[in-house]
Amino acid sequence: MTTLDENTGAEEELRSNLELIGRENIDDLEAVLSFVGQYDVEGFHRVPDNCPAEFTWDYEKGSKPQLDRLYEKAKKAQWNGQTDLDWSIEVDQERVVIANAEANPAQMQWDEAAIAGTALEKWDDKRFIQFGIENQNWLLSQFMHGEQGALLCTAKIVETVPWIDAKYYAATQVMDEARHVEVFSKYLDEKLSGHYPMNAHLGLLLDDIVGDARWDMTYLGMQIMVEGLALAAFGFIHAMTTEPLLKKLLRYVMADEARHVAFGVLSLQEYYKELSAAELRERQEFAFEAAIRMKDRLVMQEVWERMEVPTADVIKLMQAAPERDEFQILLFSKIVPNLKKLGLLDAADGWLRTKFTEMGAIAFENLTDSTEDEDAFADGSPAERQVA
Ligand SMILES: [Fe+2]
Ligand SMILES: [Fe+2]
């Protein structure tokens, strides 16, 4: 589609799906599954970081009152991943898989019609349980990798954001994210039974976020998109899991994530009012691309591969179970109201609104945004508040 650039008067094109995400149809599962990415065999992964580090000589604390308030709350909301969680709880992964499936049949059980004609038709109970175990290992691994992404991005924000109140707040988030990587890693090592590498789609997105030279893109990619989705995902797993240690761990992490997402909205809302139409368009495209990468990740291709299910069967299974897709769309419930608050849904004749309408996620635009999340401005640590 075309829009008129307010500054230059020139007609500017918003790029097509093919240019942005490498395919025309966002639901093209074959394309999603064919992208496997490259695993880093050396045990590390380097991304050039092009953003200039910025000193400020304006030390006036509280120039940004909402960020200042968030910073003061964050200092009091710290918790200790080693001592505030009961790591003596034993986790029997098989029993957890069975209990979770019984408690959430709609999300975790396959009906016979859906698996007919696929490899799953011949699976016995043991194989289905193994699939559930792989699911858990994969999910927690992706949470852990995503948390490391947040750790790196937030350290970068400390360097690049121009305002002292934001640098202060971001420093508390660096501590939060270190704790999150620590607890997910400990849970995987001590309670589960195997790691997965970073999902290719998530990895691509994190590389894009870290590599972008504009400081606000770090916020948009991480605080608004990745953490917005994570907050919703943690909420669902928290509600669905029957395992008490993971339940509490997630609840504690969510208390921190609510602040992080609010930090993103509070930091960007004024800044985005000053941007030109052309600059806003780039942010809209970036948000759309990020949304698709995150949606693609949910296909969990690495699990299917490990379970030796052929790609054609995976596509069949996904198409036979549209309610799973609906469930995944719920994960955008935090992102859409925040993009609206930032003006990104409506800019360029509502280009991004159309995209989220096509994805089936636009109804969330009327939910409250993350600056009104109770957890974000709560007093005291989750341990003191005894959140449940
Ligand atoms: Fe986190
Ligand atoms: Fe976070």
Side-chain angles (χ1 to χ4, degrees):
M1 72 181 282
T2 54
T3 52
L4 202 64
D5 188 295
E6 283 161 16
N7 296 332
T8 62
E11 275 205 340
E12 295 279 343
E13 292 274 342
L14 272 148
R15 284 176 288 167
S16 68
N17 283 2
L18 190 64
E19 289 166 298
L20 287 168
I21 57 170
R23 62 184 193 269
E24 246 351 301
N25 177 4
I26 57 174
D27 295 321
D28 182 347
L29 281 166
E30 212 169 327
V32 174
L33 287 157
S34 68
F35 180 70
V36 289
Q38 299 207 329
Y39 296 129
D40 302 298
V41 283
E42 297 92 347
F44 60 85
H45 175 66
R46 284 198 184 123
V47 186
D49 173 348
N50 304 306
C51 211
E54 189 162 320
F55 284 88
T56 174
W57 307 130
D58 181 357
Y59 291 101
E60 182 73 27
K61 185 178 183 303
S63 304
K64 304 268 181 200
Q66 289 171 304
L67 293 181
D68 185 43
R69 184 165 159 243
L70 201 59
Y71 172 54
E72 290 302 322
K73 295 286 177 186
K75 284 191 277 185
K76 290 188 231 152
Q78 297 295 311
W79 48 282
N80 185 333
Q82 297 293 331
T83 54
D84 286 331
L85 295 170
D86 182 4
W87 292 100
S88 73
I89 291 173
E90 290 205 17
V91 177
D92 179 334
Q93 233 186 325
E94 268 188 43
R95 283 175 63 177
V96 172
V97 167
I98 295 167
N100 285 357
E102 281 170 359
N104 310 279
Q107 282 84 34
M108 295 184 184
Q109 290 182 23
W110 294 92
D111 63 48
E112 278 180 26
I115 63 173
T118 72
L120 275 64
E121 203 174 21
K122 298 199 176 68
W123 282 6
D124 55 12
D125 286 352
K126 216 179 137 208
R127 195 105 182 110
F128 272 107
I129 291 171
Q130 187 57 38
F131 180 60
I133 288 174
E134 295 298 338
N135 262 293
Q136 289 183 348
N137 292 344
W138 181 89
L139 187 66
L140 271 288
S141 295
Q142 301 314 320
F143 285 167
M144 178 181 70
H145 297 312
E147 293 292 354
Q148 189 186 167
L151 175 64
L152 269 54
C153 282
T154 312
K156 181 172 162 163
I157 287 175
V158 173
E159 291 187 327
T160 59
V161 69
W163 320 305
I164 199 74
D165 289 315
K167 287 184 190 290
Y168 288 164
Y169 178 78
T172 69
Q173 189 179 334
V174 173
M175 183 60 230
D176 293 349
E177 303 302 0
R179 179 171 55 241
H180 298 174
V181 180
E182 175 199 343
V183 294
F184 280 119
S185 166
K186 186 175 167 74
Y187 190 85
L188 265 162
D189 282 345
E190 296 182 6
K191 309 297 175 186
L192 301 188
S193 54
H195 285 235
Y196 275 81
M198 170 95 80
N199 169 268
H201 301 282
L202 176 64
L204 196 69
L205 173 59
L206 292 176
D207 284 3
D208 277 356
I209 298 171
V210 173
D212 202 291
R214 297 158 292 188
W215 66 264
D216 72 288
M217 291 297 204
T218 322
Y219 272 106
L220 180 59
M222 181 48 65
Q223 270 80 0
I224 304 297
M225 302 303 296
V226 175
E227 298 192 288
L229 187 118
L231 187 51
F234 294 156
F236 285 120
I237 308 292
H238 171 263
M240 291 194 320
T241 188
T242 55
E243 199 286 280
L245 172 58
L246 182 63
K247 211 178 188 61
K248 191 163 180 185
L249 184 159
L250 287 171
R251 186 63 190 86
Y252 276 31
V253 171
M254 285 161 65
D256 295 340
E257 294 303 338
R259 275 196 311 278
H260 304 168
V261 182
F263 175 50
V265 181
L266 292 173
S267 299
L268 295 182
Q269 61 182 5
E270 283 172 51
Y271 181 67
Y272 278 12
K273 283 187 191 131
E274 299 162 12
L275 295 186
S276 70
E279 287 167 327
L280 280 178
R281 273 199 299 277
E282 286 175 324
R283 273 76 185 167
Q284 290 178 294
E285 288 184 342
F286 192 80
F288 170 65
E289 223 183 307
I292 296 300
R293 303 272 177 239
M294 292 192 297
K295 194 170 179 296
D296 292 351
R297 164 180 61 152
L298 302 171
V299 175
M300 306 190 309
Q301 62 204 69
E302 297 85 358
V303 175
W304 296 113
E305 206 180 297
R306 198 166 289 185
M307 294 302 294
E308 295 172 345
V309 179
T311 303
D313 286 5
V314 178
I315 294 173
K316 225 181 213 172
L317 287 161
M318 298 283 152
Q319 286 164 347
E323 67 281 358
R324 276 161 200 260
D325 200 46
E326 282 163 31
F327 178 70
Q328 290 175 0
I329 289 299
L330 288 173
L331 295 174
F332 290 86
S333 58
K334 303 275 179 195
I335 291 175
V336 178
N338 290 335
L339 290 172
K340 184 181 187 180
K341 176 107 172 180
L342 295 176
L344 292 179
L345 284 189
D346 293 308
D349 297 331
W351 179 84
L352 195 54
R353 176 184 301 281
T354 312
K355 294 293 184 193
F356 279 106
T357 305
E358 283 166 15
M359 279 172 69
I362 198 63
F364 302 128
E365 68 166 314
N366 298 319
L367 299 179
T368 52
D369 68 76
S370 293
T371 60
E372 291 177 44
D373 192 319
E374 263 178 47
D375 261 345
F377 293 96
D379 268 314
S381 76
E384 291 159 33
R385 289 160 56 210
Q386 297 186 317
V387 295

